[in-house]
Amino acid sequence: MLLPNLKTHLRENGFLLALLLLPLCFPFSMAEKDIWRPSLVGMAESSDPLKLTFNGPAKHWTDAIPIGNGRLGAMVWGGVDTEILQLNEDTLWTGTPADYTNPDAPEALREVRKLVDDGKYAEATEAAVKLSGKPSDVYQLLGDIKLEFDVSHQSYTPQTYHRELDLNTATARVKYSVGDVEFTREHFASNPDQVIVTKIAASKPGSLSFIVSIDSKLHHSSHVVDGQSLIVLHGSCRGVRIPPKMDLDDNPKGIQYYAVLSLQVSDGSGVVHDLDEKKLKVNGSDWAVLRLVASSSFEGPFTEPSLSRKDPSSESLATMKKIKNLSYSDLYARHLNDYQSLFNRVSLHLSKSSKNGSSSTNSGGKEVRVASTAERVKSFRTDEDPSLVELLFQYSRYLLIACSRPGTQVANLQGIWNKNVEPAWDGAPHLNINLQMNYWPSLPCNLKECQEPLFDFTSFLSINGRKTAKVNYEANGWVAHQVSDIWAKSSPDRGQAVWALWPMGGAWLCTHLWEHYTYTMDKNFLKNKAYPLMEGCASFLLDWLINGKDGYLETNPSTSPEHMFIAPDGKPASVSYSTTMDIAIIKEVFSSIISAAEILGKSKDTFIDKVRRAQARLLPYKIANDGSLMEWALDFEDREVHHRHVSHLFGLYPGHTITVEKTPNISEAANNTLHKRGEEGPGWSTAWKIALWARLQNSEHAYRMVNHLFDLVDPDHESDYEGGLYSNLFTAHPPFQIDANFGFSAAIAEMLVQSTVKDLYLLPALPRDVWPYGCVKGLKARGGLTVNMCWTGGDLDEVGLWSSEQISLTTLHYRGTTVAANLSSGKVYTFNRLLKCVRTYSQPK
């Protein structure tokens, strides 16, 4: 809590003083990225500001700036005479809890398996449609805050316009001048206070006048609360999705929502009027502060909205009451303290030069860069500006903090940001790459808390998935398929088997549970959260595997996500048996639960013995006649050679069953597979390929794919693009999907650091020619390690390590040199380029 006299100073002196006095407002703790002190101090930090910049208002949604607190999100358009903040709340979905079972599935399953056994793959593909389920529900939007300024703003001076997102403070800013008056706006989304805050100010007293309203595309009503400068918006989501037409005679009560927008103006100036009981009008103010809170009736995936005990109106009003007496400076200080405790854990500096110069500053330290972020993306293929890679890396971390926090919903296909009632692919979590990629950076990029919603979601899936496994497949344990939603849908999607029939979604999620343990070494998490879910998943996999040819266990039916093959009879098909991805995921899950059992003293359990015996009977990886890794159990011809998915390389990344050291022949086949697939593909495919090349320690091709992503997408012609970046650095499929934003930072981390619980590989895929100088601090590695490195001339200069474990025995690897390092918790160790420990000191508290 701020001291009373400090509160007064902050209110009187505003934003700048809030920043200056922030260390006094909260207990001081050193940022994690600052714990290690490298010898080359100048290389440690980039002097390029971590800002996305724009020279004009947004013309398209993908020009707008995203802000979020994990649950609430907004897109800031930055219009001059009319400003739009497009709003989201992460629990607004269509639908209600559903039955995710199909009692007719067992008979259909026997039919499909027989056709596969008979080699009738096209016929099996057709019959497998009977195993499909209903579509997921659809992510919705909350509404829009609209600010209408007086007509004079239409004559603003374009050269004075500037819009930015500051990643260091998670603040969006807009400024421009009308005559001799400068207008500024600041927007942030506070997690501790669960509010979106906007401050609008004019440099000349009494110059600020505008009208504010709030609207929604959903069923809603809104009104001004008499005498309180509040606008209330309330309404409901549909109880059923719109497309395809489904049971339209039955329209159950959907999720209800309630939002409150408060308006505060400067004391002694400014008058607020009620317009038509729908809008508020401000006249002659110095500044104004808007606060938006919202909540819904969603009580969990198993509670009907009509039976929910959660009252969004009382919850929203209570939240607003709680922050009523907090000034803008109070709110901003609390927001910064929360956000920076996460964001400031990692720094990255990449450079072509040993000089720590910056094209954005002059000798006076003033910012002079005129190029917008979009212009920088456009010129990347020519200038290959390393600072733009830094920016995109840190933007990924910003976005994860903004859309996934403990207690929120899982980050969906668009994070939390969505403008449509019918978003692309329903905005639903897709479990055959996209959802998992959303959380790839959470561990290596030091944001483990942001992964908690994924584990909550997995727990919910396991409950519905147990019913699906039992009814659909007559199996124990739990299962999840290719797509899900807020109701924890566990059944197959609607439509063709090529995408719908994929019962490995839950198994892939379970690999994240084990990875969380390997990074954090948290045995309580392993015992109480991870192991029960892993055990249920492995139980399903044991029942799903059936006796096959040559004594192997096989999965049947089996697909390689969204890809088809040409069967021996010349017909296209997607259903066969034991696709490489199926077996790779099962190997990963079995290996993980066996290791977990050893840690938890369960290695002699009958269940684990059963897993071991099944593990020994899984198909090995196979190499095709063309030297690539086989995608299916048989060497089928690809229907689409350059297909976007690289599912059969799961064992290389994110899995661990293919490594350069232990499986060199299979690694070579993976290398050939990547060449065969080619470089084209949506953004998430590009990000995955960066990570795959990094695992192969091929820095040249990893960087080629980095370069490939920096392609500025024109929203008016986005269908002409494969992947790329929009002007706000959202990644494109197209259209926008957030997965590649997250996959990119994970892949960059993989280029710099790779690890097992006992091994640490330094700079395994550093592109020495383009990033010859650099420093990274605060990355995490398996075994509870924090990794910090600087390099010069493309060669490691020094590395700083510390461990969360009491005693950590780690083998360091760098260009063929290996050294065993014995690390104790509480100490920071510095090693030189020869991997010799040259300095230790106690870790600051």
Side-chain angles (χ1 to χ4, degrees):
M1 180 63 69
L2 298 175
L3 297 173
N5 61 335
L6 182 55
K7 281 187 173 183
T8 302
H9 281 299
L10 289 176
R11 288 197 184 102
E12 291 177 353
N13 296 287
F15 165 74
L16 180 58
L17 190 56
L19 285 180
L20 294 173
L21 298 177
L22 183 61
L24 302 178
C25 304
F26 299 94
F28 174 79
S29 63
M30 180 178 287
E32 194 163 344
K33 67 182 177 67
D34 296 327
I35 290 175
W36 180 62
R37 304 188 293 269
S39 301
L40 296 172
V41 177
M43 289 299 300
E45 298 290 343
S46 174
S47 58
D48 245 3
L50 288 173
K51 293 182 178 181
L52 280 68
T53 58
F54 308 82
N55 293 331
K59 296 179 180 178
H60 303 87
W61 188 75
T62 48
D63 300 328
I65 292 173
I67 59 174
N69 66 9
R71 185 179 64 85
L72 294 173
M75 295 291 285
V76 180
W77 285 64
V80 176
D81 58 324
T82 302
E83 169 68 291
I84 297 291
L85 270 71
Q86 184 268 308
L87 305 170
N88 291 104
E89 201 273 357
D90 71 349
T91 62
L92 297 190
W93 285 73
T94 64
T96 61
D99 179 6
Y100 300 113
T101 65
N102 176 8
D104 297 326
E107 183 178 346
L109 179 61
R110 286 187 283 273
E111 177 188 356
V112 173
R113 280 178 168 169
K114 179 66 165 60
L115 289 168
V116 169
D117 287 341
D118 292 343
K120 298 180 179 179
Y121 302 115
E123 292 80 359
T125 300
E126 185 176 345
V129 174
K130 299 174 186 177
L131 292 167
S132 297
K134 294 180 180 179
S136 67
D137 272 291
V138 185
Y139 184 50
Q140 300 291 276
L141 69 168
L142 175 57
D144 295 334
I145 296 174
K146 187 176 184 181
L147 303 172
E148 300 169 87
F149 294 88
D150 62 58
V151 68
S152 68
H153 286 243
Q154 295 179 5
S155 59
Y156 79 104
T157 307
Q159 291 82 359
T160 65
Y161 185 94
H162 179 76
R163 182 163 56 99
E164 69 178 30
L165 171 62
D166 184 345
L167 300 185
N168 283 315
T169 61
T171 306
R173 298 187 180 94
V174 179
K175 68 177 180 180
Y176 57 89
S177 295
V178 179
D180 61 349
V181 181
E182 182 179 75
F183 292 90
T184 59
R185 303 177 205 149
E186 293 177 343
H187 313 266
F188 64 90
S190 166
N191 178 270
D193 293 307
Q194 289 298 300
V195 60
I196 293 174
V197 184
T198 293
K199 182 172 184 180
I200 313 168
S203 61
K204 187 175 180 181
S207 298
L208 183 62
S209 300
F210 64 93
I211 297 170
V212 60
S213 60
I214 185 168
D215 199 1
S216 178
K217 296 177 183 177
L218 299 182
H219 174 72
H220 75 281
S221 63
S222 64
H223 65 273
V224 172
V225 179
D226 290 340
Q228 295 188 45
S229 295
L230 295 177
I231 306 176
V232 165
L233 172 76
H234 57 93
S236 62
C237 302
R238 290 180 58 89
V240 293
R241 56 174 290 145
I242 300 173
K245 303 302 181 187
M246 295 180 60
D247 306 320
L248 291 187
D249 293 335
D250 177 23
N251 188 17
K253 182 179 181 180
I255 295 170
Q256 309 294 296
Y257 64 88
Y258 196 93
V260 183
L261 180 67
S262 76
L263 171 63
Q264 176 191 9
V265 297
S266 51
D267 296 334
S269 68
V271 180
V272 179
H273 301 285
D274 175 349
L275 287 185
D276 304 323
E277 299 182 349
K278 296 281 188 181
K279 303 177 180 180
L280 292 172
K281 183 176 182 180
V282 176
N283 281 324
S285 184
D286 299 347
W287 54 261
V289 174
L290 299 168
R291 310 175 193 206
L292 184 283
V293 300
S295 62
S296 84
S297 63
F298 178 75
E299 196 174 351
F302 312 121
T303 301
E304 292 280 350
S306 61
L307 301 176
S308 174
R309 298 161 298 176
K310 193 167 176 280
D311 180 5
S313 60
S314 61
E315 190 172 283
S316 294
L317 291 169
T319 301
M320 187 63 79
K321 183 179 180 181
K322 200 170 160 184
I323 62 174
K324 182 179 180 180
N325 294 323
L326 292 175
S327 70
Y328 179 81
S329 298
D330 292 336
L331 291 168
Y332 193 71
R334 289 160 62 89
H335 156 69
L336 282 183
N337 185 62
D338 166 75
Y339 170 76
Q340 292 181 340
S341 69
L342 295 169
F343 186 76
N344 285 352
R345 292 173 180 176
V346 174
S347 66
L348 174 66
H349 173 43
L350 304 171
S351 179
K352 295 179 181 179
S353 166
S354 59
K355 296 180 180 179
N356 194 24
S358 170
S359 54
S360 63
T361 58
N362 60 19
S363 58
K366 296 181 179 179
E367 189 171 332
V368 297
R369 186 190 294 282
V370 294
S372 68
T373 300
E375 291 166 334
R376 295 176 67 192
V377 173
K378 202 168 185 178
S379 65
F380 186 84
R381 299 283 176 88
T382 303
D383 61 31
E384 297 186 344
D385 179 5
S387 67
L388 194 55
V389 176
E390 295 173 26
L391 184 66
L392 189 59
F393 172 87
Q394 293 286 25
Y395 185 51
S396 163
R397 299 182 65 249
Y398 163 83
L399 290 173
L400 190 57
I401 296 169
C403 76
S404 184
R405 293 289 201 101
T408 70
Q409 298 305 303
V410 76
N412 64 47
L413 208 58
Q414 297 181 180
I416 51 172
W417 299 279
N418 167 40
K419 64 182 174 65
N420 297 318
V421 174
E422 301 176 37
W425 299 289
D426 302 329
H430 283 57
L431 277 60
N432 63 2
I433 176 61
N434 316 95
L435 176 60
Q436 290 87 346
M437 184 178 284
N438 284 0
Y439 288 94
W440 282 357
S442 60
L443 293 170
C445 297
N446 209 339
L447 294 171
K448 65 179 181 180
E449 298 89 340
C450 295
Q451 200 176 23
E452 288 186 25
L454 182 68
F455 302 145
D456 294 338
F457 180 67
T458 304
S459 295
F460 293 140
L461 272 179
S462 73
I463 294 171
N464 281 335
R466 195 169 290 275
K467 300 171 187 175
T468 304
K470 183 176 181 179
V471 175
N472 289 32
Y473 304 128
E474 299 176 327
N476 293 302
W478 67 274
V479 64
H481 291 77
Q482 170 254 358
V483 67
S484 190
D485 55 28
I486 199 170
W487 308 109
K489 169 183 163 62
S490 54
S491 57
D493 193 12
R494 71 176 185 269
Q496 301 300 312
V498 66
W499 68 79
L501 182 59
W502 194 70
M504 292 291 139
W508 191 342
L509 289 177
C510 278
T511 67
H512 285 248
L513 294 162
W514 175 245
E515 288 281 44
H516 186 84
Y517 169 75
T518 63
Y519 274 87
T520 64
M521 309 301 284
D522 184 344
K523 291 183 182 178
N524 286 329
F525 170 84
L526 183 64
K527 177 183 177 180
N528 300 319
K529 186 75 171 182
Y531 193 84
L533 291 168
M534 293 164 65
E535 187 176 38
C537 172
S539 182
F540 168 76
L541 295 175
L542 288 172
D543 285 356
W544 181 244
L545 288 163
I546 58 178
N547 290 316
K549 301 174 180 65
D550 302 321
Y552 289 110
L553 293 174
E554 65 182 35
T555 57
N556 176 7
S558 179
T559 61
S560 191
E562 303 182 30
H563 196 199
M564 300 186 75
F565 58 88
I566 304 300
D569 59 7
K571 298 176 183 177
S574 62
V575 175
S576 61
Y577 69 94
S578 297
T579 60
T580 300
M581 188 183 214
D582 273 13
I583 302 304
I585 290 176
I586 294 171
K587 285 178 178 178
E588 204 76 26
V589 171
F590 283 180
S591 174
S592 299
I593 197 168
I594 289 170
S595 296
E598 291 174 359
I599 293 163
L600 298 176
K602 296 176 179 285
S603 58
K604 294 183 180 179
D605 286 6
T606 302
F607 177 76
I608 295 300
D609 184 58
K610 191 176 180 182
V611 172
R612 282 196 195 93
R613 284 187 276 113
Q615 183 186 42
R617 296 178 60 195
L618 295 174
L619 275 172
Y621 290 111
K622 297 180 182 179
I623 299 175
N625 288 330
D626 64 4
S628 65
L629 188 66
M630 281 170 54
E631 187 167 357
W632 297 274
L634 300 176
D635 197 1
F636 296 129
E637 178 187 347
D638 291 275
R639 174 83 181 274
E640 189 180 343
V641 173
H642 302 303
H643 194 265
R644 60 192 176 277
H645 281 265
V646 282
S647 305
H648 45 320
L649 298 184
F650 173 93
L652 177 62
Y653 186 94
H656 306 280
T657 51
I658 300 174
T659 67
V660 172
E661 294 82 5
K662 295 181 180 179
T663 59
N665 292 341
I666 302 302
S667 295
E668 182 60 30
N671 178 86
N672 295 337
T673 299
L674 283 169
H675 282 292
K676 179 181 176 180
R677 271 294 201 259
E679 297 179 358
E680 296 303 315
W684 57 262
S685 180
T686 301
W688 196 355
K689 289 169 184 172
I690 298 170
L692 288 164
W693 282 118
R695 279 277 171 95
L696 291 172
Q697 301 176 15
N698 190 319
S699 59
E700 177 187 352
H701 279 90
Y703 182 74
R704 280 176 62 91
M705 297 312 300
V706 169
N707 194 301
H708 186 77
L709 189 63
F710 284 87
D711 187 15
L712 185 64
V713 176
D714 179 357
D716 289 324
H717 302 93
E718 64 183 7
S719 61
D720 296 340
Y721 294 81
E722 283 264 14
L725 299 169
Y726 294 101
S727 70
N728 68 355
L729 294 188
F730 271 172
T731 50
H733 185 284
F736 161 57
Q737 278 185 203
I738 203 166
D739 37 29
N741 282 110
F742 298 132
F744 178 81
S745 58
I748 295 299
E750 200 70 23
M751 293 172 73
L752 302 177
V753 176
Q754 294 174 25
S755 62
T756 71
V757 172
K758 296 181 179 180
D759 297 275
L760 182 64
Y761 299 86
L762 306 172
L763 303 179
L766 175 72
R768 301 169 66 190
D769 293 339
V770 288
W771 304 339
Y773 298 89
C775 212
V776 64
K777 297 197 290 183
L779 291 182
K780 292 293 186 179
R782 294 170 184 86
L785 296 181
T786 303
V787 183
N788 314 266
M789 287 183 296
C790 289
W791 60 94
T792 59
D795 298 322
L796 180 68
D797 189 77
E798 57 183 355
V799 56
L801 302 174
W802 65 84
S803 172
S804 63
E805 290 295 281
Q806 202 66 32
I807 298 292
S808 178
L809 183 61
T810 302
T811 301
L812 308 182
H813 301 257
Y814 177 66
R815 293 189 189 168
T817 299
T818 60
V819 172
N822 198 339
L823 310 178
S824 299
S825 63
K827 289 189 176 296
V828 179
Y829 299 81
T830 298
F831 298 82
N832 64 16
R833 64 181 60 199
L834 300 177
L835 304 185
K836 179 181 178 181
C837 185
V838 292
R839 189 169 74 250
T840 63
Y841 54 88
S842 295
Q843 187 174 333
K845 300 296 183 185

